[in-house]
Structure formats: structure tokens, C-alpha cells
Amino acid sequence: MAEGLFAFAARRAGVNVLLLMLVSLTGFMLLHATPGGPLAQFSLSPGMTTERLNQIAHSMGLDQPLWLQYVKWLGGLLKGDWGHSYRDHAPVLSIIVAHLGATVELGLASLVISFLGGLAMGLIGALRAGEAIDALCSLVGVILLSLPTFWLGLVFIYFLSVRTGWFPAGGLMAPGDASASDRLRHLALPAMTLGLVSIPVWGAYVRAFAGDTLNQDHIRTARALGVPGWRIVLRRVLPAALLPLIPIAGVYLPTLLSGALVTETVFTWPGVGRLFLDSLQYRDYPVALGVLMFSAVLVLICSLAAELLHHAADPRLRA
Amino acid sequence: MSGADAILSVRTHLHDLRPRGRIAACYIVLVVIACVAGPWVLPYGHAHIDLHHRFLSPISAGHPLGTDEIGRDLLTRVLMGGRVSLLVGLASTILSTVIGTALGLVAGYNSGAARFLITTIIDATLCFPVVFLMLTLAAVLSPGVGTIIGIVTLVSWMEAARVVQAQTRVIRKMDYVTAVVAMGATDRYVLLREVLPNVAPAVIVSATLTIARAILLESYVSYLGYGVQPPDASWGNLLNNAQEYLESDPWLAIIPGVAIALTVTMFNLLGESLRDAIDPSLRARGSRS
């Protein structure tokens, strides 16, 4: 179907705005469905009276109709006012941004590992389709896909940290040590954990896309003309297999974030995932809800960006 | 094609099951038997505390897998945990498959508002990172096995819905469907007697893969402390405080994890083998997407 890049972007953005409304409504309802509602944290503090609680409720606007609260909250979100933490009254958005760096660092490192691993696994599988090594690759893929992330992390901690002392068992860096090598040593185990379990996600797609390309006429022609195998893979198969991976990168983000939460918990990595878990434990609902909304927005923006990029990179989608 | 024919066609497909699929099926049967019957056979209750025999290492007398920090037999705990993990996996898969199939049929058969609404809800649910959404729900609701089944269902129904929707859209345009509609068949008849039996094989494959994912998701939430609560065991919450004793007693962390990894692997292998057997064209392409 003929559709310009702009029309495509506009249509997708329209759908995404609708999705965001739905997502924000869900998040808002969840917050208000919590036991004790947004006041839960305050009602737990000692010496709290019903009168004082009502005052707080009034000052927070909780005595207003629910739909009005939602509209106000949504307006605040759009203006960048995401509320304040119950714990230290810091603005939610700045707390999230402060934790974002560690998660991005972990996410990118694991993305490199999983992408390169998946590329290798998928290409081997496609080039040796039906052979023993293809079956082995798919078996390894299923196993990696089935490993609980936290358990793999614990196994790494035990064998590569506790037993051998090669890597630190957790944290972002050693206290007082800001060297790059120390940061990399701390990054190694969590990145490997998160990266390994994601290899099959990429491997499966590369395997399928590369397999499709290998069956095409121009590859057979190139082979018949005597073009070396590595050259065919590098020049023809790889670009064709990478192109459809672009939109998948957007879809992959939620998986990455979920994995990051678990990995950050095991390795006491101070990222957004651990922030989320901590704020749930402290009933710091504005922060928890903020992280939930933030990740949903991030997922939508990234999948839209990935789709646009794919649309721009693949002329067949526009023709 | 009637419902009985559909089941027959799945049964003939089973003859095409690859060896790894057969091994996986045998393993699953054995694990289910072990988890259901094992705790009855073993001498210790899963909450039997024996402070004189704490932290026994595996292959100790009377405790094949050792004991935990308060002297409970680990094998009994793993089998009891298996009951809960398998139950959560199975129950949430049945629920999400029924819900997903129903919504998928509706969305695939209609082209108007119903489809738009359902696909939008699917897309909106997929926007949330699964574990974040599950933990939020778990924090809101009171924890327990029933709650965790509901939560896993809520984040798992989309897979079946997408598969069924796509297939339904193809099937409803087929000639034989047009023919029965021309003969005066109602929508209800077409959906239940023509479409449903034909999407059944794909639904069975997606359900098998969903069980694997559901067991994994339960283990995440329980590991993080928001799922099945002690003293009840599940494969996830057995690892909950194992990290504390990782240095001195790594088996407490390693063994329940092996149970999860092995079982999830086997369900995934079975699901993939079923898919290959039902649709050989996928085997030729080697697609796993």
C-alpha cells in the first residue's frame, strides 16, 4: 500500500497517543486500587490521626472526584510534573533520570553481547541448515531462553565471583575507585547474565531472515558465478537479514527492561529496575507508577522510532 | 472439520514429533508424577523443621539433596515447590488460552470496532515490561497462589489472541467458509465448527510455549518476594533467600534453579517440536519467530 513516510508516522503516532491514554488510565487506576490508596504510606506513620490524614488527603487533592484527579495527574505528566516521592519528596522524574544511566549502561552492554551472539548463532544455523550444528544451535537457544535470569546471575556470582574472585559480586563500582577497568569488571557479570538469556531472541530472527535470503535467486546466481561464501554472507545475506531486525529492536525493549529489573536486583545494580522494586517495597507509589509510565512511554517511542527507521531504510515498504 | 477430526489430526501429527520432543514429553510426565506423588512417599513434611540437621550438603544420609537453613529436606521442598509452579503454569495457561482464543476469534472474524478495540488492548498490554506490570499488580493485590495465577494470565493471553486472530482472518476468507455462509450458516456455527477446529493445532502449540513462559514468570515474581509466600514453596521462592547462603551453601540456590531451567526447557522443546510436527513448512524454513 502506498503510504508516505509522513502519513505513516502520523498514523502510528495517533495510535500511540491512544495507547498512552489507555496505559496511563491503567496505571492511575492501579495506584488508586492499592491497599489504602495513595495514602497508605502516611497512614502507617506513628501518631497519625484520621483528621490529619484527611488534611493530607485534601492537600493532595484526593477528596476530588476520581476523573478530575486523573485529568490533573495526566496534565502534570505532560508538563513534566510527575509528582514527588513519598520517601524524600524529590521530584519523581529527576529520581528516574538519576537511575537511568546505570540501566542504559547495563542494557547497552547486554544488547551488544546478545546481538553479536544471536548474529553468530543465527548465521551458523542458516548457513548449515539441517545439519547437526544447526540442531545444536537451536537446542542451545531453547536452553538459554529457558534459564531464569536471576538463577543464571546467582550461578555466575558463585562460580566467577565467590569461588574464583575474578569479578565483583555486585554494585556499580568499588567505593572510591572511579577507574574504567573497575567499572567494566563490575559490569561484566550482570551484562553477561542479561546478554546470554537474550541471545536466542536475536538468533531466531537472524536464522529466519538469513534463511529466507539464502533461498533467493540472486544468492544462487552469485554462488554459481563463484563468489566466495564469506563475501555472499557479508555483502548480501547480512544486510538483508539485518533490515527486518530494526522493528524487532523496538519490540525487544520491554523484554530488556524486565530482564534488567531482575538482573539489577541480583547484582545490586542501582538502575531503574531496582528503583522500581525499592519503591514498591516502601509503598512509594508515585515513584513506582512513574517508572511504570516512563517505561511504557519509552517502549512506545522506541518502537515508533524503530518502525520509522525501518520504513525509511526499506524502500519496498514505501513503494 | 469437526472437533474430533481436529483432535485426530493433532494425534497424527504426534507421529512426526522429533526425538527431542518425545524426550521432553517423557520428562514432563515424570516431573508431574514426581511432584504429585513424591511428597507423599518421602518421609518428611515440606515444613518439617530439623534444627539438628541444618545446611546438610547433597547426598547426605536420608537427604538426597541436603537440607536448608532450618533443616527442611530440600528434595521434599523442591517437589512441593514443583506442585505450585506447575499448577500456576498450567492454570494460567488454560485461562489465558481460553481468554486469548475467544478474543482472537472475535477480533479475527469481525473487522470493525471489536477488532480495533481488542488489538489496541493487546498493544497497550505489550507496552508494559512484563515483570514491572506483574510486580505492580502483585503489590496491589494480596499475595497467594490464586493471585499469581491471575497475574500470569493477565500478561500471557495476548500470545494466543494474536495467533488465533491471524489464523481466523485467513480461514474466514477460505472458499469452504464462504460456502457454508452461502448455505446459511450462522456466525456462531462458522466460528465454532469451522474456524475453531482449524486453529486448534496452533493454539496447542502456543499453549505449550505459554506454560514454559508462565513457569518462568512465576519464578521471577516469587523470587522477588511478591509471588507465592513462605512457608509455601514454589521453585521461585526457594531461591528467594538462597542468595544469602550462596557462599557457604550454593546448592540451595543451584538445585531449585536447575528444576526451573530444566522444566521450562522441556516445555519449550515440546512446544517447538509440536510446531514443527504440525507445520512442516516451518521446519524447512527453520523459523522460530
Side-chain angles (χ1 to χ4, degrees), chain A residues 178-227:
Chain A
S179 68
S181 73
D182 177 67
R183 280 194 79 123
L184 277 176
R185 267 163 45 84
H186 279 84
L187 181 62
L189 290 189
M192 236 159 57
T193 305
L194 190 52
L196 274 180
V197 297
S198 313
I199 284 179
V201 178
W202 297 110
Y205 286 114
V206 172
R207 168 83 175 74
F209 297 146
D212 283 348
T213 314
L214 280 171
N215 285 333
Q216 283 173 7
D217 289 341
H218 67 100
I219 301 289
R220 220 171 309 155
T221 311
R223 276 208 176 128
L225 288 172
V227 179

Side-chain angles (χ1 to χ4, degrees), chain A residues 73-90:
Chain A
W73 177 73
L74 198 63
L77 278 188
L78 292 177
K79 281 182 287 185
D81 172 19
W82 289 41
H84 293 264
S85 161
Y86 289 166
R87 264 195 285 175
D88 52 10
H89 288 282

Side-chain angles (χ1 to χ4, degrees), chain B residues 54-165:
Chain B
R54 302 163 63 216
F55 294 119
L56 287 182
S57 49
I59 326 179
S60 302
H63 299 282
L65 296 184
T67 58
D68 70 1
E69 69 269 23
I70 50 175
R72 291 174 296 191
D73 179 55
L74 190 58
L75 178 61
T76 313
R77 300 268 298 157
V78 168
L79 292 178
M80 287 302 289
R83 284 186 181 182
V84 174
S85 291
L86 291 171
L87 174 73
V88 172
L90 191 67
S92 56
T93 298
I94 292 173
L95 282 174
S96 59
T97 303
V98 170
I99 295 171
T101 305
L103 290 175
L105 282 176
V106 172
Y109 198 70
N110 297 301
S111 46
R115 178 202 283 180
F116 180 75
L117 189 69
I118 291 171
T119 48
T120 308
I121 294 175
I122 292 176
D123 288 347
T125 317
L126 290 174
C127 284
F128 290 109
V130 169
V131 175
F132 286 72
L133 187 58
M134 293 180 77
L135 291 176
T136 313
L137 290 167
V140 172
L141 306 162
S142 58
V145 175
T147 311
I148 189 80
I149 289 174
I151 292 173
V152 175
T153 303
L154 210 66
V155 298
S156 304
W157 59 273
M158 297 86 73
E159 171 66 19
R162 296 219 289 190
V163 169
V164 171
Q165 187 204 1

